[in-house]
Amino acid sequence: MSKTSASRIVGPDATALTERSRLAFDLDVDIAVVGAGLAGLTVALEAARLGASVAVLEGRHVGWNASGHQLGTVMPGYGLPIGDLIARIGFEDTRELWALSRQGAEYVRANATEELIPGIALSGGALEVSNVEIGDKLIARLQMLGEDFETEVEGWQVDRVRAELKTDRYFHGVYYPKAFQIDGRNYVHGLAALARRAGARIFEDTPVVSIDPSGIRKRIVTPSARLRASHIVLAGNIHLGAPLRRLSETLLPVWRYAALTAPLGDKLAETIAFRGSVIDSDGIDHFRVVEGDRLMWASPETTWAVSPARFAPAIARRIRTIFPQLGPVEIAEAWSGAIGQTVHGMPQIGQLRKGLWVASGFGRQGLNTTAMAGQLIARSIFWGDERWRLFSPFELVWAGGTTGRVAGYAIGMWQRGSSAAAGALARYRERARTKERISEARLAEANRQAGTRAPQRRPPPGRPRPQGPQRPAPVNREGEGGS
Ligand SMILES: Cc1cc2nc3c(=O)[nH]c(=O)nc-3n(C[C@H](O)[C@H](O)[C@H](O)COP(=O)(O)OP(=O)(O)OC[C@H]3O[C@@H](n4cnc5c(N)ncnc54)[C@H](O)[C@@H]3O)c2cc1C
């Protein structure tokens, strides 16, 4: 994936630290993994820890795509909201899937120690903020997460959110104290180092050009070698291509763009006090403060690849829209990664035929879910753990080819447009209410000084006149039309 600058600002360029080795000789292993992203590397690490001989075949280099360009936020759950999951598969299975997603997050936490992965920089807490007022929905959601899904959460009122993030763009928030963030680039390269240490062999610059999954020993062809394995795990995400094109076509490729600002000085701390990850509930913005006074921010998406340099100004504008007090923001580095979005919004995890496994479609939330997939597949191969079957209701659905990409982009734009419009309306209502309250206070004060009582509002026709004290009718309403 491309970057606007070759220099590394967040963490070392770990790709340069390891010497790449290409598969140049034929090989026989227990498990062959296609793809050295988070999914493939976790399968490899877990399978090697369980004693298998493992080879990972990577067409470019470790973390080349999304896995080496993510923001490192680790949360429970999936891209698909809990309510939609319950509607689709029922409450009990949703609970089990949710528990697996939490275990995935804990798996990342267990690996993400400074001893195992130097420079991992783990810090705690993530905040999901809403672009609209969702007070009542928030309470229901908190209850469900806390009581039914055993997930530690706190509901933050608007004032609390705005004390931490000085913007009128966000309203309520759900705080996940057990969520955390890590240096995403260091994590994927650390995972590769752990897998190697456990005995897995990782071959880079080794694209898999075809596979023959029939028979007990399956065959893989690369440009300069052949490989035989009892199990093949396809973890190539959207780039899998020729070896199983029908599988690639079940994913809608979505390029997500991110950037790191130049140091922003003290004004950043005055604007953003919160030190964990912030994610808005519409999936538009995702950011956090790094290195004390820089912002790392992911925002726009496209369904075809565009140079990240072209999106740097858009990200700077987005930051300024949310936090105008930061003034013009200089972007020091911009990058992108392609995520695979499934039609149903859930990852593809499971066995396609005996010994042929798939782990892909992790969307925007890939850290906990790839960790979970790696564990599920390795444990199924070795221990017969069948919990991957919980993903069976989410079949491989064709994502619509080029037409699907155009439609996906249009739907994405429409969703962003509609949530932006809902956000604008919510802010308008809030301003109107504030103005109304100020007018009422002024009127009450004027009445108090004049020693008069406020005029009574007439009830609508047909409704009994209320008995209790009445609210003064506002005069000189500036924000007419708000509710
Ligand atoms: C900007 C951005 C920010 C993100 N932030 C977060 C975040 O904060 N938290 C979070 O949980 N998720 C985040 N994500 C999502 C997360 O990065 C992805 O869900 C995850 O990395 C997907 O991992 P993967 O292993 O499935 O795919 P990939 O990372 O795409 O890895 C697949 C690998 O397979 C290789 N490959 C493909 N085909 C072949 C072949 N035929 N032969 C050999 N090799 C092949 C590719 O070269 C590639 O290296 C973010 C994504 C982006 C783009």
Side-chain angles (χ1 to χ4, degrees):
M1 288 287 95
S2 37
K3 287 184 242 16
T4 51
S5 87
S7 62
R8 312 300 310 190
I9 294 165
V10 182
D13 185 359
T15 53
L17 302 180
T18 53
E19 209 173 284
R20 292 195 205 162
S21 74
R22 170 185 302 190
L23 181 63
F25 47 89
D26 291 354
L27 197 64
D28 257 45
V29 289
D30 296 329
I31 300 178
V33 180
V34 183
L38 289 167
L41 291 170
T42 317
V43 177
L45 172 58
E46 280 309 284
R49 278 178 176 167
L50 293 176
S53 62
V54 182
V56 181
L57 308 174
E58 164 57 49
R60 313 282 180 118
H61 59 78
V62 166
W64 168 70
N65 184 32
S67 300
H69 296 86
Q70 31 85 17
L71 264 54
T73 305
V74 187
M75 299 188 59
Y78 302 89
L80 195 66
I82 279 192
D84 295 5
L85 262 177
I86 296 174
R88 173 122 194 203
I89 57 166
F91 184 77
E92 282 312 320
D93 282 358
T94 301
R95 258 171 67 92
E96 280 200 55
L97 280 180
W98 189 267
L100 284 176
S101 82
R102 282 204 329 259
Q103 285 166 24
E106 287 316 308
Y107 176 89
V108 178
R109 187 190 286 279
N111 284 331
T113 62
E114 288 295 331
E115 297 75 50
L116 291 178
I117 304 182
I120 195 65
L122 188 145
S123 63
L127 182 63
E128 188 183 316
V129 288
S130 170
N131 293 309
V132 291
E133 285 200 279
I134 48 150
D136 41 351
K137 276 199 204 144
L138 179 81
I139 292 169
R141 177 124 183 271
L142 287 171
Q143 266 173 351
M144 185 159 73
L145 280 170
E147 290 166 21
D148 300 326
F149 290 86
E150 292 160 32
T151 302
E152 219 176 286
V153 277
E154 281 173 21
W156 283 16
Q157 292 302 332
V158 182
D159 293 350
R160 174 107 192 252
V161 169
R162 292 183 182 178
E164 299 280 331
L165 308 170
K166 302 238 164 28
T167 176
D168 65 356
R169 291 264 152 176
Y170 301 140
F171 291 83
H172 297 87
V174 178
Y175 175 60
Y176 295 78
K178 292 267 172 74
F180 56 96
Q181 42 276 315
I182 50 180
D183 183 311
R185 289 169 182 167
N186 282 353
Y187 183 69
V188 69
H189 293 286
L191 211 50
L194 291 177
R196 283 191 182 99
R197 232 178 285 158
R201 299 167 80 176
I202 301 175
F203 300 99
E204 297 172 285
D205 295 329
T206 304
V208 170
V209 291
S210 74
I211 59 169
D212 174 2
S214 55
I216 295 185
R217 298 293 287 167
K218 293 152 199 337
R219 291 157 202 276
I220 289 187
V221 177
T222 74
S224 45
R226 283 162 195 273
L227 191 136
R228 294 192 329 150
S230 304
H231 294 268
I232 297 177
V233 182
L234 302 169
N237 192 8
I238 62 148
H239 296 100
L240 184 63
L244 212 64
R245 193 160 299 284
R246 275 187 13 245
L247 181 60
S248 309
E249 288 177 349
T250 60
L251 294 175
L252 176 73
V254 176
W255 278 264
R256 192 157 169 77
Y257 301 86
L260 179 72
T261 68
L264 299 174
D266 294 343
K267 62 188 172 190
L268 185 59
E270 289 154 19
T271 307
I272 301 177
F274 188 70
R275 289 292 134 152
S277 295
V278 180
I279 295 161
D280 81 15
S281 46
D282 296 310
I284 300 174
D285 298 313
H286 175 184
F287 59 89
R288 68 185 159 105
V289 174
V290 294
E291 297 175 16
D293 65 349
R294 289 172 172 217
L295 261 181
M296 187 158 62
W297 193 292
S299 188
E301 289 179 352
T302 56
T303 50
W304 50 87
V306 178
S307 157
R310 277 189 50 200
F311 277 99
I315 296 177
R317 276 197 303 278
R318 183 74 195 158
I319 296 175
R320 215 170 159 186
T321 303
I322 305 291
F323 298 112
Q325 62 273 49
L326 290 177
V329 164
E330 189 194 327
I331 299 295
E333 186 185 1
W335 64 90
S336 71
I339 53 175
Q341 196 65 48
T342 56
V343 171
H344 40 64
M346 287 293 281
Q348 301 165 330
I349 300 171
Q351 192 168 206
L352 299 175
R353 58 187 291 174
K354 201 163 174 22
L356 182 65
W357 299 83
V358 59
S360 57
F362 297 101
R364 296 187 194 116
Q365 196 164 340
L367 272 157
N368 67 321
T369 50
T370 53
M372 171 196 70
Q375 283 180 296
L376 282 179
I377 292 175
R379 288 174 187 191
S380 180
I381 292 173
F382 282 90
W383 297 347
D385 180 344
E386 294 283 276
R387 283 177 302 164
W388 60 267
R389 290 189 190 278
L390 284 163
F391 288 88
S392 303
F394 306 101
E395 295 144 2
L396 302 177
V397 186
W398 184 57
T402 310
T403 321
R405 283 191 189 198
V406 175
Y409 184 67
I411 292 167
M413 290 301 280
W414 175 78
Q415 281 170 341
R416 278 161 180 248
S418 63
S419 37
L425 188 62
R427 291 192 301 281
Y428 172 75
R429 285 190 177 134
E430 190 183 41
R431 279 199 302 275
R433 270 200 302 273
T434 309
K435 284 179 181 171
E436 187 175 325
R437 276 198 294 272
I438 293 169
S439 307
E440 287 175 4
R442 277 201 204 119
L443 178 66
E445 178 58 18
N447 283 331
R448 195 188 60 74
Q449 285 183 10
T452 55
R453 280 190 56 211
Q456 303 276 298
R457 239 187 201 171
R458 282 170 75 87
R463 275 236 209 117
R465 194 174 273 271
Q467 297 302 306
Q470 293 292 290
R471 219 164 56 127
V475 287
N476 294 332
R477 296 177 77 173
E478 295 160 80
E480 203 58 78
S483 60

